[in-house]
Amino acid sequence: MTTDGPHQIMIRKHAPGLRGNLTRHADRIAYYGNGLLRQIIPFALHRRRTEQLLREIPDPAHADEIARRVAYYIRLDTPFDASDAPRIAEIDRSKSRYFIDLDQHSRGFGPDRRLHTLFGDVTHVPDRPTIVKSRPVGAQNANSVLLNLNKLRHYRLVADPIPFRAKAAAAVWRGSAHTEARRALVRSFYHHPRFDIGHTSGKIDDLPPKPRLSQTAQMANRYFISIEGNDVATSLKWSMASNMLVMSPALRFETWFMEGLLEPGRHFVLLRDDLADLEEKVAHYDAHPEEAENIIVEAHRWIEQFSNAAKERLIAARVLERYFSLSGQM
């Protein structure tokens, strides 16, 4: 009996259309089914698997990367007290996706070790070391310990068969305009003759919502505008995996995807916060498509580092191992 399944494959490109919808539905069933199955298997068996995983010597080709990523996700370097934190067996289950993802990695450390968790879109740094999905980008975020939580939503990618130069020379954005940055994008470019920019619910001034666009429909365009929402832009991952050129203002939040390490001009095109240079940037890359294609190649390389499921499990286990070690539990 095993709980290893499709939900552990971090990057999986779905085909568009009906077949893609069926694949996504199957992945969802497998994700929740494996989460339930994991609860049946005794803690002792999970512990043996985790101990074996932590004893394994990583492939030399990945050893440095693994060490760097663990150090990036958990920046703590001094002991701390977690004696008032919930035990692993008592972790809040009300946000099921967050619980399933945390449980996948924490269960192997036994039911009694303690850790603080904060589920949801986290945009502040907790006052004590805490497992989170997201945190502010910056040097003062050590108490925010990143794990790959809510990954069913964040790592669902669609295959893009259209090369950059074969796409429409337009910029696209669809989404819920619940932040001022998104509302400003809609106000500025809703009626643009070459762009397809619009919100999907409510009204912004006198601008009604536009129809939703599937990822496949959005990928018919060359330029994807990424605007952060409550924390990170969920769409950043799938758009960087496409053959679109991603454009975004400076990134303020990060997750397991390490958005804080993405380099403007290498992995995406940096826009001004007020988006006043969007037309200029689109015109530049229309005139220099080879530059756009070089950025897209680098974006794909960034995505690829998350595609090895065994490596991702090891990194997560080492993050938790360091958390428990620094809190005097190992």
Side-chain angles (χ1 to χ4, degrees):
M1 184 183 297
T2 177
T3 58
D4 293 347
H7 66 284
Q8 290 186 315
I9 304 302
M10 303 266 309
I11 304 296
R12 180 170 179 175
K13 288 197 174 184
H14 297 290
L18 177 61
R19 185 161 61 90
N21 289 335
L22 292 173
T23 302
R24 286 192 292 271
H25 184 63
D27 282 353
R28 184 183 296 272
I29 293 173
Y31 174 83
Y32 284 106
N34 279 294
L36 291 172
L37 179 59
R38 192 178 300 116
Q39 307 303 305
I40 301 172
I41 299 175
F43 275 102
L45 180 55
H46 288 290
R47 187 195 297 268
R48 286 198 293 271
R49 289 176 177 170
T50 297
E51 289 173 348
Q52 180 181 1
L53 177 65
L54 291 170
R55 286 196 301 267
E56 291 177 0
I57 299 175
D59 182 337
H62 299 305
D64 288 344
E65 176 203 343
I66 290 170
R68 285 196 303 271
R69 286 180 59 189
V70 170
Y72 190 80
Y73 295 138
I74 179 165
R75 292 176 161 175
L76 299 163
D77 55 12
T78 57
F80 62 91
D81 180 20
S83 60
D84 62 340
R87 293 182 173 85
I88 286 175
E90 302 166 344
I91 293 172
D92 177 24
R93 303 185 182 207
S94 60
K95 292 194 173 184
S96 59
R97 290 184 184 178
Y98 287 84
F99 169 77
I100 287 172
D101 293 336
L102 177 61
D103 183 66
Q104 177 186 354
H105 303 296
S106 65
R107 199 168 183 83
F109 291 91
D112 295 325
R113 289 199 170 94
R114 296 177 178 270
L115 72 166
H116 289 288
T117 61
L118 186 58
F119 293 160
D121 300 330
V122 181
T123 58
H124 68 282
V125 178
D127 58 5
R128 54 194 177 186
T130 302
I131 303 296
V132 295
K133 179 204 76 177
S134 55
R135 69 187 181 192
V137 170
Q140 306 302 317
N141 59 10
N143 276 349
S144 300
V145 179
L146 291 175
L147 276 184
N148 188 15
L149 306 179
N150 200 17
K151 62 174 174 278
L152 184 66
R153 178 170 183 245
H154 284 262
Y155 287 90
R156 178 172 290 158
L157 311 184
V158 175
D160 184 359
I162 308 174
F164 174 79
R165 299 191 197 204
K167 297 177 183 291
V172 65
W173 182 83
R174 278 297 190 281
S176 174
H178 56 272
T179 67
E180 184 52 39
R182 292 184 174 190
R183 289 189 288 271
L185 172 67
V186 173
R187 290 188 184 104
S188 297
F189 298 104
Y190 185 94
H191 293 298
H192 195 284
R194 286 182 54 205
F195 298 171
D196 191 356
I197 306 293
H199 57 297
T200 55
S201 62
K203 272 195 174 185
I204 298 176
D205 300 338
D206 61 343
L207 304 174
K210 290 185 178 182
R212 294 180 182 273
L213 291 178
S214 67
Q215 292 179 13
T216 301
Q218 292 180 66
M219 288 189 299
N221 301 280
R222 286 184 182 175
Y223 305 102
F224 183 87
I225 312 306
S226 179
I227 304 290
E228 291 179 323
N230 292 330
D231 52 11
V232 298
T234 305
S235 58
L236 180 64
K237 302 170 184 68
W238 71 259
S239 58
M240 283 182 59
S242 76
N243 294 323
M244 295 185 291
L245 181 63
V246 175
M247 297 182 167
S248 172
L251 303 174
R252 299 175 300 147
F253 304 107
E254 64 180 352
T255 65
W256 188 261
F257 194 61
M258 301 186 293
E259 286 89 343
L261 294 181
L262 293 173
E263 298 177 28
R266 179 181 178 186
H267 301 110
F268 71 100
V269 174
L270 182 66
L271 297 173
R272 285 174 41 169
D273 286 346
D274 63 5
L275 307 174
D277 56 346
L278 175 57
E279 290 177 298
E280 173 191 339
K281 293 291 176 67
V282 167
H284 173 84
Y285 288 102
D286 272 346
H288 301 88
E290 69 286 348
E291 293 182 21
E293 289 165 339
N294 288 339
I295 293 174
I296 292 167
V297 167
E298 289 296 326
H300 290 178
R301 285 176 178 161
W302 187 266
I303 290 281
E304 183 61 28
Q305 70 182 309
F306 303 97
S307 64
N308 184 315
K311 182 178 69 176
E312 298 304 297
R313 288 194 296 270
L314 175 58
I315 293 172
R318 289 194 171 180
V319 168
L320 287 173
E321 180 186 40
R322 182 174 296 183
Y323 183 100
F324 293 131
S325 296
L326 287 172
S327 59
Q329 301 180 72
M330 291 187 72

